[in-house]
Amino acid sequence: MSIRKKYIAGNWKMNKLSAEASSLAAEIVKGAKAAKCKVLIAPPFTALSEVSKIVKGTNVILGAQNMSNEKSGAHTGEISIDMLKDLGVGAVILGHSERRIIYGETDKFINSKIKLALAEKMEVIFCVGETLEEREAGKAADVVSKQVINGLKDVPEADLSLITIAYEPVWAIGTGKTATDRDADDVHAIIRQTLKKIYSAGSAEKMVIQYGGSVKADNAAGLLSMENIDGALVGGASLKAEQFLAIINSVK
Ligand code: PGA
């Protein structure tokens, strides 16, 4: 039996207007009441306020998909951690590959956001993952451990309890291609070894590591049965209550 509680998170990305977000959130809250795992939904910023009212007092945690690395001030277009807290956000997704690749976020920049979130006692889902090119060049393990080391630079061991790591191979996101259970588990094991090197065996053992990349109801159970896979970060399949709830219900 694993000491780690399974964690299923839905990343809605740039989808759902506020009315649609409210009805999706309400269906998820209803269906997830008896969930055996931790559940989070991360709507777009514009729907946080509405969804916040729906998840309040339930077992579904409200997540944000990003935040500024600065506390406040002249940062046009950015969203601060206090703004997120004000809306009842309990966790923030940082370092998603779409932020890294499309918006040029570097390990250093992501590290500054992680440190700010932790200083403010905000939970973080910290995403890492290699591109197809990197995988084909045999560099997946190196790339992912480097992202872990750089992203967690100067993060004290005591703060790790606020962090979940999401391993999301870039080539599996939104493509319908999933890493095999074994391939995913191998990288999760590498992440755990990296944590053991930086911190300790105990912290490595406790870290919840989600897999992300085309997780669906029909592949979730297989992935979640692997020793080092403790949950899922779900994109596309989190946009339909029935599909997302089926993934949640695959945690027995
Ligand atoms: P996907 O996205 O499930 O649509 O592949 C996963 C993610 O990017 O978090």
Side-chain angles (χ1 to χ4, degrees), residues 9-13 93 96-98 127 166 168-177 211-216 232-239 247:
N11 172 10
W12 296 1
K13 306 192 180 182
I93 300 171
H96 191 280
S97 62
E98 286 149 18
C127 306
E168 300 202 304
V170 177
W171 48 270
I173 296 179
T175 56
K177 285 186 203 148
Y211 169 80
S214 300
V215 176
K216 307 267 179 294
L233 179 54
V234 186
S238 72
L239 295 171
I247 296 170

Side-chain angles (χ1 to χ4, degrees), residues 56-101:
K56 198 166 180 211
T58 75
N59 57 334
V60 176
I61 302 162
L62 184 64
Q65 300 172 19
N66 187 23
M67 66 169 213
S68 173
N69 67 327
E70 298 288 344
K71 270 284 277 178
S72 65
H75 298 281
T76 303
E78 289 293 300
I79 307 283
S80 78
I81 188 156
D82 289 340
M83 293 167 184
L84 297 180
K85 282 184 167 177
D86 189 37
L87 294 176
V89 168
V92 60
I93 300 171
L94 296 175
H96 191 280
S97 62
E98 286 149 18
R99 302 297 321 168
R100 291 176 187 265
I101 295 165

Side-chain angles (χ1 to χ4, degrees), residues 39-54:
V39 178
L40 171 141
I41 51 177
F45 290 129
T46 47
L48 284 174
S49 176
E50 287 305 311
V51 173
S52 177
K53 293 176 202 151
I54 293 161

Side-chain angles (χ1 to χ4, degrees), residues 95-126:
H96 191 280
S97 62
E98 286 149 18
R99 302 297 321 168
R100 291 176 187 265
I101 295 165
I102 310 172
Y103 300 100
E105 293 197 9
T106 61
D107 284 347
K108 199 170 169 205
F109 188 54
I110 294 159
N111 173 250
S112 67
K113 294 186 188 198
I114 292 176
K115 285 192 291 197
L116 174 61
L118 297 174
E120 299 287 329
K121 303 280 172 247
M122 171 78 83
E123 263 193 51
V124 171
I125 296 181
F126 165 38

